[in-house]
Amino acid sequence: MEQFNGRVAVITGAGSGIGRALVQHAAGLGMQVVACDIEEPPLHETASLATADGGVVTTVRADVSVAADVQHLADTAFDVYGHVDLLCNNAGVFRGGFMWSTTPADWEWVMGVNVQGILHAVRSFVPRMVAQGTEGHIVNTASMAGIISGAFTSPYTTSKFAALALSECLAHDLRATQSAIGVSVLVPSLIRTGIGTSERNRPERVVDRLGDDPPEAQFVAQALVDSTAAGMEPSEVAQIVFDAIRTGQFYIPTKGSYHQQIRARYDDQEALRLPATPPID
Ligand SMILES: NC(=O)c1ccc[n+]([C@@H]2O[C@H](COP(=O)([O-])OP(=O)(O)OC[C@H]3O[C@@H](n4cnc5c(N)ncnc54)[C@H](O)[C@@H]3O)[C@@H](O)[C@H]2O)c1
């Protein structure tokens, strides 16, 4: 997909970080944008920023882990604009800690947003995008944590490995049907966003913990806040994403270290060793 002007983009997780930057970039290219988030005030702030620059933005409050919400998002996008050309499944949340200290609700929340959120969107959007008969593109946001694993991060890492695998499977399914819909998977390294404070968006129905978080969960959340504060600007990520859509690139890393990191992982796998955790950058 090389032309963006006048086309329609749907972007989830649009209230903050990478999602907000994708909305601003898409609007700047002349796209009509449907921006979605679970958190309404920041979502409206994103829309204000993009429309102040002349963009056309429709906001939809939705929890992507709820199928009916995602169906409503798709219905709104098709009702308002008649078609959807670019779908960015970007909403995501982080939960860490030792696996044995995680609760069923920790997993329901993280897998619900990071994995089911994408699956709901695939069901609600893809058949209608295919039926349009025009070219289109889907970008799923995974993570370098979808390729390399480490301690303290099992819910997030497991969800991102799944997001990456389902993106590959979606691309294979679309290719098998000679579809004009392309797929990419974004695998960011550290980006300066609000991901370290994901708990701010955790609905009550996926809370089952009594008392404080275990110390290692607090430690890893703080480490993520500190490390992402020094990360790449989301606006740079948005530029990288749209460049990759133009060229039909499947994997979209944000740093050159990606190449060394995946080679090291596959060397370990070939040698039948537990893959090492490279330094986070
Ligand atoms: N920041 C990083 O270093 C980094 C690295 C790799 C991958 N990622 C991924 O990038 C994506 C965007 O995250 P970010 O870093 O911009 O963080 P962020 O917290 O700044 O933005 C995430 C957005 O998703 C929204 N969201 C959370 N739960 C939702 C739900 N149930 N339904 C709809 N929206 C919901 C939040 O309100 C927020 O606006 C995520 O998938 C994240 O896992 C981030």
Side-chain angles (χ1 to χ4, degrees):
M1 190 167 147
E2 291 175 11
Q3 290 298 322
F4 299 101
N5 189 26
R7 291 191 154 169
V8 179
V10 176
I11 297 167
T12 70
S16 175
I18 297 170
R20 173 175 286 180
L22 289 173
V23 171
Q24 290 183 280
H25 197 97
L29 292 172
M31 299 191 85
Q32 297 160 313
V33 185
V34 181
C36 156
D37 205 282
I38 194 172
E39 220 184 346
E40 271 193 303
L43 175 63
H44 291 139
E45 202 181 306
T46 297
S48 302
L49 289 166
T51 51
D53 294 338
V56 177
V57 180
T58 300
T59 58
V60 178
R61 193 249 166 222
D63 178 343
V64 298
S65 70
V66 176
D69 279 20
V70 179
Q71 187 64 30
H72 169 66
L73 171 66
D75 290 346
T76 305
F78 283 95
D79 285 352
V80 174
Y81 296 109
H83 59 113
V84 171
D85 307 296
L86 172 64
L87 170 65
C88 297
N89 291 309
N90 168 76
V93 292
F94 177 87
R95 175 74 204 182
F98 289 126
M99 191 183 285
W100 50 88
S101 304
T102 57
T103 67
D106 290 338
W107 286 85
E108 189 183 338
W109 177 45
V110 175
M111 297 299 280
V113 178
N114 297 0
V115 183
Q116 294 290 348
I118 301 176
L119 288 169
H120 294 324
V122 168
R123 291 189 200 97
S124 293
F125 284 91
V126 170
R128 284 189 263 186
M129 288 174 74
V130 168
Q132 287 168 180
T134 52
E135 65 172 1
H137 207 86
I138 299 168
V139 179
N140 295 330
T141 303
S143 172
M144 281 308 292
I147 298 178
I148 54 182
S149 57
F152 306 114
T153 63
S154 58
Y156 186 72
T157 298
T158 304
S159 75
K160 292 299 183 178
F161 268 65
L164 198 127
L166 77 81
S167 301
E168 291 187 8
C169 292
L170 175 62
H172 285 303
D173 285 349
L174 287 165
R175 182 182 283 177
T177 53
Q178 281 97 43
S179 168
I181 312 293
V183 179
S184 298
V185 62
L186 175 60
V187 285
S189 296
L190 291 172
I191 315 297
R192 202 167 70 82
T193 73
I195 192 73
T197 58
S198 292
E199 293 280 343
R200 72 191 188 280
N201 297 310
R202 181 163 170 157
E204 277 301 311
R205 67 179 161 75
V206 277
V207 176
D208 62 356
R209 189 183 307 279
L210 298 173
D212 291 341
D213 272 354
E216 73 281 357
Q218 295 181 31
F219 155 77
V220 76
Q222 188 57 49
L224 189 60
V225 168
D226 296 343
S227 56
T228 51
M232 180 184 275
E233 286 300 324
S235 56
E236 283 184 63
V237 180
Q239 182 67 57
I240 290 168
V241 168
F242 278 85
D243 287 348
I245 297 170
R246 273 191 197 92
T247 58
Q249 190 181 308
F250 180 75
Y251 283 106
I252 314 179
T254 57
K255 281 215 151 173
S257 53
Y258 162 88
H259 298 280
Q260 195 276 326
Q261 289 172 347
I262 58 164
R263 264 197 301 274
R265 175 177 176 82
Y266 284 103
D267 285 349
D268 286 335
Q269 287 189 311
E270 196 180 23
L272 312 182
R273 296 187 291 258
L274 174 67
T277 306
I280 300 169
D281 65 351

